[in-house]
């Protein structure tokens, strides 16, 4: 294989696009879609089709002219090369409304099982009904270490977000999806942080409408 | 001004990075941060600092050597050029757990006031307490048109997502933030769609860990 000889050289934007493509292909498979063209993917991913073709060519996969890609085969290739097929255990920090919504969907995603959830309120822990084991927030580092949890989802109020992140990282977590409105950064640590923000998405929409006259 | 003479030529990745930067600068301002270097922004945005400097230079703004950018001034420039200062009205479709969490935070974001919320269950509408006007989902197109709502947030179950999107677009909405697990596309319409997915974020983290040995 001549592709990906130097793993670190794959540019982050390509990596993110290919990971998003993997997520999308899973949904297309569920919808019984067998083949998909790069032009159709352009509409689904909001990425130019030539960029999509170039990204995929880095994996050594190619589309047959006019017939597009085989959805299942491309997804399998992506899963193997990007290490996505296996999945990993995740935990949830914060059992408020958003945390409750995520907890409620636990088990829906077989690749990312929810192995634990945490909250700072013992009262809330006692009132929450779920099959997911619940713990007090002070136990985050210990539980993450013992259960070998790879990533944490943060849905706590702003003032508690940094402490949650520090506890996750102290326990050995290597990824964080942060839904709190505080920006979390871990530039000096080997941790991938994804800060998700509704306002940020509304800003992107505003910029597109303004700049491109969409 | 020699910048942005051809609005449509600003590449979407630059547009999205600048919009994310605007969101971030707002949070830095709230935290009383006066100045920020491109290197600090690299850690906060997970974007290389030379890319950040290049993006910002397209706006005609520049950092003073070693002192970085003035947070408030840069945010103001971005807001004007990207059309983000004004904001717009949004609506929410779906009053389940996630929708309830978003409804609960309504009013927190002055730039994107929630002008209406919708659900397919009259029972749920009657049980929901909020200052936001609530309507049945069949009213989406009419209310979006009458209130001149610019964007809709979709938090309905998968089977109802497409219908929600179609009703929003029929009412004149130009942006959609979709939290349902169905991918919504509007490639043939003048609508910006942002599909947000927890699984997608966990996929990106998995890819980073696998490929870059993070």
């Amino acid at each position: 294989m001549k592709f990906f000889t130097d793993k670190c050289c794959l540019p982050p934007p390509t990596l993110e696009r290919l990971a998003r493509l993997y997520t999308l292909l899973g949904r297309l498979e569920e919808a019984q879609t067998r083949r998909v063209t790069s032009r159709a993917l352009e509409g689904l991913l909001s990425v130019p089709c030539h960029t999509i073709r170039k990204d995929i060519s880095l994996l050594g996969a190619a589309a047959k002219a006019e017939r597009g890609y085989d959805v299942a085969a491309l997804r399998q290739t992506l899963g193997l090369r990007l290490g996505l097929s296996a999945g990993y255990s995740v935990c949830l920090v914060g059992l408020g409304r958003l945390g409750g919504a995520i907890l409620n969907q636990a088990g829906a995603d077989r690749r990312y099982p929810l192995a634990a959830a945490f909250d700072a309120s013992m009262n809330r822990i006692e009132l929450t009904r779920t099959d997911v084991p619940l713990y007090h927030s002070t136990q985050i580092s210990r539980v993450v270490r013992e259960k070998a949890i790879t990533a944490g989802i943060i849905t706590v109020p702003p003032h508690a977000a940094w402490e949650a992140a520090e506890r996750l990282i102290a326990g050995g977590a290597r990824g964080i999806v942060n839904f709190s409105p505080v920006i979390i950064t871990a530039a000096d640590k080997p941790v991938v942080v994804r800060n998700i923000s509704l306002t940020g998405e509304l800003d992107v929409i505003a910029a597109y409408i303004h700049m491109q006259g969409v």
Side-chain angles (χ1 to χ4, degrees), chain A residues 88-93 112 140 144 148-154 164-178 184-186 189-195:
Chain A
Y88 52 76
S89 293
V90 303
C91 68
L92 172 69
V93 185
Y112 301 110
I140 293 175
V144 166
I149 288 168
T150 299
I153 303 157
I154 294 180
E166 283 165 3
R167 285 171 169 169
L168 287 167
I169 294 169
R174 296 160 78 195
I176 291 172
V177 182
N178 173 35
I184 289 175
T185 170
K189 299 198 180 71
V191 177
V192 184
V193 182
R194 309 287 299 171
N195 291 296

Side-chain angles (χ1 to χ4, degrees), chain A residues 152-207:
Chain A
I153 303 157
I154 294 180
T155 61
V156 297
H159 68 272
W162 268 98
E163 190 176 49
E166 283 165 3
R167 285 171 169 169
L168 287 167
I169 294 169
R174 296 160 78 195
I176 291 172
V177 182
N178 173 35
F179 286 98
S180 85
V182 174
I183 296 239
I184 289 175
T185 170
D188 55 337
K189 299 198 180 71
V191 177
V192 184
V193 182
R194 309 287 299 171
N195 291 296
I196 313 298
S197 148
L198 176 56
T199 300
E201 298 302 327
L202 295 172
D203 279 343
V204 171
I205 288 173

Side-chain angles (χ1 to χ4, degrees), chain A residues 17 43 46 56 59 62 89 92 95 105 116 133 139 141 144-145 154 162 182 200 203 209:
Chain A
R17 284 193 297 264
S46 302
I56 294 175
L59 294 165
S89 293
L92 172 69
L95 294 173
Q105 291 171 356
Q139 305 297 309
S141 299
V144 166
R145 194 178 303 110
I154 294 180
W162 268 98
V182 174
D203 279 343
I209 291 174

Side-chain angles (χ1 to χ4, degrees), chain A residues 53-130:
Chain A
R53 286 195 297 270
K54 193 179 154 207
D55 287 346
I56 294 175
S57 72
L58 289 172
L59 294 165
K64 281 173 188 136
E66 293 179 20
R67 293 196 53 218
Y69 300 95
D70 180 297
V71 170
L74 180 57
R75 184 157 187 269
Q76 191 172 23
T77 303
L78 277 168
L80 289 170
R81 299 298 179 79
L82 299 180
L84 299 176
S85 315
Y88 52 76
S89 293
V90 303
C91 68
L92 172 69
V93 185
L95 294 173
R97 284 171 177 267
L98 176 57
I102 291 170
L103 189 70
N104 203 37
Q105 291 171 356
D109 198 330
R110 280 166 299 165
R111 287 189 299 126
Y112 301 110
L114 206 49
F118 305 89
D119 199 276
S121 158
M122 282 310 296
N123 188 39
R124 191 183 271 168
I125 288 172
E126 279 163 17
L127 290 174
T128 303
R129 292 187 180 186
T130 175

